[in-house]
């Protein structure tokens, strides 16, 4: 067995013991827990879950609750919102419908509509796109930061203890970043704010928030100097399922307070979907 495999096996037995009987050994580190989450996430090919999210939009926290089905390859997403617009649905299937999402607004204009997932309408009042469904985006942010600050990561990622989240026991870890700052960045070529965010694992919405004169994610041109954060945020708080090693909760804190929060419940890992799960004709759907 490789050294990596042995470490993973030992971490599994430690976590299973903690889940059953109480506090973990002091030797378990926040970074060790995070690494196991990275490994688990890489093995997930499909999910169903309910997400409760809060995002700061124009200075105010908004809340949405949605049930989601997603498959990685080919990429497919079905979303049904229960709050605030109960019954609103989104369906996206890669390489179908000209790569547009089908929307049942469950309200005006009372018709299904097709939109580019990167369109301004679908990005309105949202921090993220449907392409960032599931755990990969959340996990990749912390993984990127752990790699970037690998020489100091044991001090930056701290295990805080066991907590209960959505009826499950979880490891609470916190990533504190003393190097976070807002810096100048020069737009290159045909880059959009989404491109810049993807390149450096940043929040495109936070970049937009840092540049009040920029109105849309495409409203930039080559050579333009903008403000961007050098990292995703100064602080991340996560609760990681002590049995499954998947995120149960993620909080992103900036200098203004809570920037975004995501809570996952009723998670099913790698479900077997039927042919109907990503069809608009599904009788369970309202399209």
């Amino acid at each position: 067995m490789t050294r990596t495999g042995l470490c993973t096996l030992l971490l599994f037995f430690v976590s299973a013991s903690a889940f059953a009987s109480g506090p973990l050994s002091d030797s378990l580190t926040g970074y060790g827990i995070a690494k196991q989450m990275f490994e688990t996430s890489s093995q997930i090919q499909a999910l169903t879950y309910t997400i409760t999210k809060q995002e700061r939009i124009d200075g105010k926290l908004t809340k949405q609750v949605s049930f989601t089905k997603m498959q990685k390859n080919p990429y497919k997403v079905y979303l049904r919102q229960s709050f605030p617009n109960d019954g609103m649905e989104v369906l996206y299937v890669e390489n179908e419908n000209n790569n547009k999402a089908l929307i049942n607004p469950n309200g005006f204009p009372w018709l299904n509509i097709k939109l580019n997932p990167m369109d301004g309408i679908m990005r309105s009042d949202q921090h993220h796109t449907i392409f960032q469904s599931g755990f990969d985006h959340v996990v990749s942010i912390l993984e990127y930061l752990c790699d970037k600050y690998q020489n100091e990561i044991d001090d930056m990622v701290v295990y805080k203890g066991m907590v209960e989240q959505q009826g499950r026991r979880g490891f609470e870890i916190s990533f504190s970043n003393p190097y976070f700052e807002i810096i100048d960045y020069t737009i290159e070529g045909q880059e959009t704010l989404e491109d810049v965010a993807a390149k450096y694992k940043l929040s495109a919405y936070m970049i937009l928030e840092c540049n009040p004169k920029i109105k849309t994610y495409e409203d930039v041109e080559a050579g333009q100097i903008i403000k961007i954060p050098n990292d995703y945020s100064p602080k991340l708080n996560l609760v990681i399922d002590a049995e499954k090693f998947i995120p149960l909760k993620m909080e992103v804190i900036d200098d203004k307070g809570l920037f975004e929060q995501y809570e996952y419940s009723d998670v099913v890992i790698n479900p077997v979907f039927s042919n109907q799960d990503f069809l608009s004709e599904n009788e369970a759907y309202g399209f």
Side-chain angles (χ1 to χ4, degrees):
M1 180 179 291
T2 65
R3 182 177 179 181
T4 300
L6 179 60
C7 289
T8 299
L9 185 62
L10 287 172
L11 185 57
F12 171 80
F13 282 119
V14 170
S15 66
S17 173
F19 186 81
S21 61
L24 292 171
S25 166
D26 291 339
S27 64
L28 188 61
T29 68
Y31 182 42
I33 296 168
K35 285 196 293 184
Q36 183 59 38
M37 179 180 67
F38 303 156
E39 175 64 24
T40 300
S41 178
S42 70
Q43 299 172 14
I44 295 174
Q45 296 302 314
L47 284 168
T48 66
Y49 59 90
T50 296
I51 183 170
T52 300
K53 68 177 184 178
Q54 295 185 68
E55 295 178 335
R56 192 177 68 221
I57 305 293
D58 295 331
K60 296 181 180 180
L61 283 177
T62 64
K63 180 180 178 180
Q64 289 185 9
V65 182
S66 302
F67 170 74
T68 303
K69 301 177 183 180
M70 65 85 59
Q71 175 182 294
K72 286 186 182 179
N73 187 27
Y75 192 75
K76 301 179 181 181
V77 175
Y78 168 77
L79 177 154
R80 186 190 189 283
Q81 192 176 110
S82 56
F83 181 87
N85 183 4
D86 187 20
M88 189 275 286
E89 296 173 295
V90 178
L91 177 64
Y92 174 84
V93 178
E94 185 178 4
N95 296 324
E96 294 188 12
N97 296 315
N98 294 317
N99 280 318
K100 291 186 176 181
L102 181 66
I103 317 293
N104 165 23
N106 195 39
F108 185 82
W110 306 107
L111 295 170
N112 294 335
I113 55 178
K114 295 180 180 179
L115 295 172
N116 182 334
M118 306 302 290
D119 184 90
I121 296 175
M122 287 198 69
R123 290 305 319 274
S124 177
D125 296 337
Q126 304 282 340
H127 281 194
H128 303 289
T129 73
I130 60 171
F131 296 118
Q132 294 162 335
S133 301
F135 299 141
D136 281 1
H137 183 65
V138 170
V139 170
S140 69
I141 293 166
L142 185 59
E143 189 170 17
Y144 176 86
L145 291 170
C146 287
D147 288 341
K148 181 176 180 178
Y149 296 108
Q150 58 183 309
N151 293 332
E152 303 165 84
I153 202 60
D154 286 327
D155 294 325
M156 297 173 74
V157 181
V158 177
Y159 168 59
K160 311 274 286 188
M162 298 292 290
V163 296
E164 184 170 310
Q165 178 70 30
Q166 301 289 345
R168 299 189 62 84
R169 295 194 73 197
F171 307 118
E172 183 178 14
I173 66 173
S174 178
F175 174 86
S176 297
N177 184 358
Y179 306 108
F180 179 88
E181 61 179 335
I182 304 299
I183 61 175
D184 287 339
Y185 177 81
T186 303
I187 296 293
E188 300 175 358
Q190 301 298 311
E191 281 184 328
T192 67
L193 298 190
E194 293 281 5
D195 295 327
V196 177
K199 185 191 297 187
Y200 299 109
K201 293 294 182 184
L202 305 175
S203 164
Y205 187 87
M206 189 179 289
I207 297 175
L208 200 62
E209 198 173 59
C210 289
N211 298 273
K213 292 184 179 180
I214 298 175
K215 302 305 180 185
T216 70
Y217 295 97
E218 296 77 30
D219 186 24
V220 288
E221 58 186 23
Q224 183 176 347
I225 299 174
I226 64 172
K227 297 290 185 181
I228 68 169
N230 68 327
D231 288 318
Y232 196 87
S233 75
K235 188 169 185 178
L236 300 171
N237 296 323
L238 288 95
V239 177
I240 299 169
D241 192 296
E243 181 182 7
K244 298 180 179 179
F245 282 95
I246 57 174
L248 294 175
K249 182 179 180 180
M250 176 183 177
E251 290 181 337
V252 177
I253 312 295
D254 65 9
D255 59 334
K256 301 180 183 69
L258 182 63
F259 176 68
E260 57 190 17
Q261 175 181 287
Y262 305 101
E263 297 178 82
Y264 302 90
S265 60
D266 303 321
V267 178
V268 178
I269 296 173
N270 293 330
V272 177
F273 292 123
S274 74
N275 293 333
Q276 295 293 311
D277 278 293
F278 297 101
L279 289 179
S280 60
E281 295 83 5
N282 189 322
E283 293 182 357
Y285 301 162
F287 294 105

